Amino acid sequence: MAVVLNKEQIMEIIPHRDPFLLIDEVNELEVGKRVKATKYIKVEDFWFKGHFPNYPVTPGVLMVEMCAQAGAVALLSLPENKGKIGLFGGINNCKFRQQVVPGDKLDIEVEIIKVKGPIGVGKALASVNGKKAVSAEITFAIK
């Protein structure tokens, strides 16, 4: 899959930094509408030190954050949102369907389905090898 934005370019759009920048690349981008991004899950990722020793699994809440960061790239790429941040307003209909472990490539898709003023909603899906890992509807506020 082609890389549209690398990590450095992503950091020009969203304010997240290591260790909390949780997407590695953007593969497709329709500014303000939709995004496809990738997170390569590595054994050295910070959360595996304690979640769980001898049974490393990516926390579901961090996978939701990965989706939110991808969605933020789509929205904060709009010229009127340059330099702003996206904050969580809510998470609805979230489902975790499989464990995500070191060596997995998490493919993230977020479609912006509603925007009214600074508030919006994105429909997120993250998968590994075409199998759903997490899905959610994410409400956000642009500040």
Side-chain angles (χ1 to χ4, degrees):
M1 192 174 283
V3 175
V4 174
L5 300 172
N6 63 29
K7 224 170 184 177
E8 290 74 30
Q9 292 166 313
I10 292 167
M11 288 190 295
E12 292 174 13
I13 299 167
I14 63 175
H16 302 78
R17 298 294 181 264
D18 284 329
F20 218 73
L21 177 60
L22 299 179
I23 55 175
D24 293 318
E25 61 194 33
V26 170
N27 310 107
E28 291 181 24
L29 176 61
E30 269 186 75
V31 173
K33 298 186 186 292
R34 66 176 200 86
V35 64
K36 287 188 179 183
T38 301
K39 171 63 180 167
Y40 297 97
I41 307 297
K42 300 174 292 301
V43 72
E44 60 269 13
D45 286 329
F46 72 86
W47 54 87
F48 290 131
K49 290 179 202 168
H51 196 271
F52 300 101
N54 302 316
Y55 192 83
V57 62
T58 303
V61 68
L62 290 183
M63 290 190 288
V64 174
E65 175 66 22
M66 292 168 195
C67 293
Q69 289 184 19
V73 169
L75 287 168
L76 298 178
S77 293
L78 289 164
E80 62 267 28
N81 290 335
K82 185 173 175 59
K84 296 182 180 179
I85 62 172
L87 301 170
F88 266 119
I91 303 166
N92 293 314
N93 302 318
C94 187
K95 291 190 173 38
F96 302 102
R97 293 181 165 87
Q98 75 171 18
Q99 295 174 4
V100 176
V101 298
D104 284 347
K105 181 181 108 168
L106 192 65
D107 297 309
I108 303 160
E109 299 178 44
V110 180
E111 178 187 0
I112 307 303
I113 57 174
K114 180 180 175 184
V115 177
K116 186 173 183 178
I119 307 298
V121 178
K123 184 177 175 184
L125 172 68
S127 59
V128 176
N129 295 322
K131 293 182 180 178
K132 291 179 186 178
V134 63
S135 60
E137 196 173 88
I138 301 168
T139 302
F140 55 86
I142 302 293
K143 294 282 180 189

